Amino acid sequence: MTTSPNPKNPTNPISDSPIETDGVVHVAAPSGRDEVMDAGTFTRIPEPRNTNRLPLGDGTWHQVSPKYVVVQFISGALFLALVVVAGLVLWFGFEQEWVWIPGAVAVVITLVSLIVLPRQARSIGFQLRTDDLVFRRGILWQRMVAVPYGRMQLVDITHGPLDRGFGIAQLKLVTAAAATGVTIPGLSQAAAERLRDTLIDVAETRRTGL
């Protein structure tokens, strides 16, 4: 990606070189941040065919790691196994035949969720702009939210045992308004740490007093 410094934007939140195009901050390759943020991630965000969809717009979108899909598949498989075991115990041990009705519903919902999971994971993306972070996800039910840097109150990284095993984490942004809070899943640990440090640094310069 070829970019050029913009003298009108002296503070780029994610790069040593101040670069801005149409109000969207682009990560400069010489700083190495593109390599960290985009290493081993999906490369294209699928969009619904409907013309009334939320447009992606211009700028650089960063996506999540395919390992996120693997972790979710394993979690789903473990949940299905737990449902089956619980159903067998209640059926054979306590002769509770009704247990298969909610069990079947849980199995169907989980299987449908796992089927659409890969496409849902590809729809997750975030964009670092001059004044805010834009997060989007969803194919049928789309969500796009902009989190102003100056409104961030907490940037938190969490990862469970499976996440650690596959080297991924999720980053949570907490603001004063709960509706604008964002959780970005499936980031590599290096990308999550880099993004956390970047957001903390830029939030200090954009603090709005809240």
Side-chain angles (χ1 to χ4, degrees):
M1 177 178 66
T2 302
T3 53
S4 58
N6 185 345
K8 296 181 180 180
N9 181 28
T11 57
N12 186 320
I14 55 175
S15 174
D16 297 332
S17 303
I19 300 170
E20 178 182 353
T21 303
D22 298 329
V24 178
V25 176
H26 296 268
V27 184
S31 68
R33 297 184 189 274
D34 251 347
E35 287 77 3
V36 173
M37 205 73 69
D38 299 324
T41 65
F42 292 115
T43 58
R44 186 182 68 85
I45 296 179
E47 291 187 274
R49 295 183 178 89
N50 193 301
T51 56
N52 294 322
R53 65 183 181 272
L54 293 175
L56 289 177
D58 299 325
T60 301
W61 285 95
H62 306 283
Q63 293 184 260
V64 303
S65 170
K67 294 178 182 178
Y68 169 71
V69 177
V70 178
V71 169
Q72 293 303 305
F73 268 122
I74 295 175
S75 299
L78 292 175
F79 175 76
L80 289 176
L82 181 62
V83 169
V84 171
V85 170
L88 291 174
V89 169
L90 289 174
W91 187 27
F92 287 109
F94 302 94
E95 298 182 352
Q96 302 292 322
E97 297 182 0
W98 60 266
V99 72
W100 294 116
I101 298 176
V105 173
V107 168
V108 170
I109 293 175
T110 303
L111 288 176
V112 172
S113 299
L114 293 178
I115 290 172
V116 301
L117 176 62
R119 186 169 175 83
Q120 286 183 335
R122 288 185 176 90
S123 74
I124 300 173
F126 64 96
Q127 187 179 105
L128 296 163
R129 303 194 299 186
T130 304
D131 298 311
D132 55 26
L133 179 146
V134 178
F135 174 79
R136 60 103 58 208
R137 72 181 305 163
I139 299 296
L140 294 178
W141 290 272
Q142 292 182 284
R143 183 194 184 203
M144 187 175 294
V145 58
V147 182
Y149 296 128
R151 299 297 181 95
M152 294 181 188
Q153 296 183 336
L154 176 67
V155 183
D156 183 30
I157 294 177
T158 59
H159 49 187
L162 278 177
D163 293 332
R164 287 195 298 272
F166 285 87
I168 61 173
Q170 66 176 10
L171 184 141
K172 183 177 182 180
L173 308 176
V174 179
T175 66
T180 60
V182 164
T183 299
I184 306 175
L187 298 174
S188 70
Q189 292 186 3
E193 292 172 1
R194 178 67 64 87
L195 183 57
R196 176 200 59 194
D197 295 341
T198 296
L199 293 175
I200 290 175
D201 289 342
V202 72
E204 289 300 322
T205 66
R206 306 293 176 88
R207 191 67 64 187
T208 61
L210 295 181

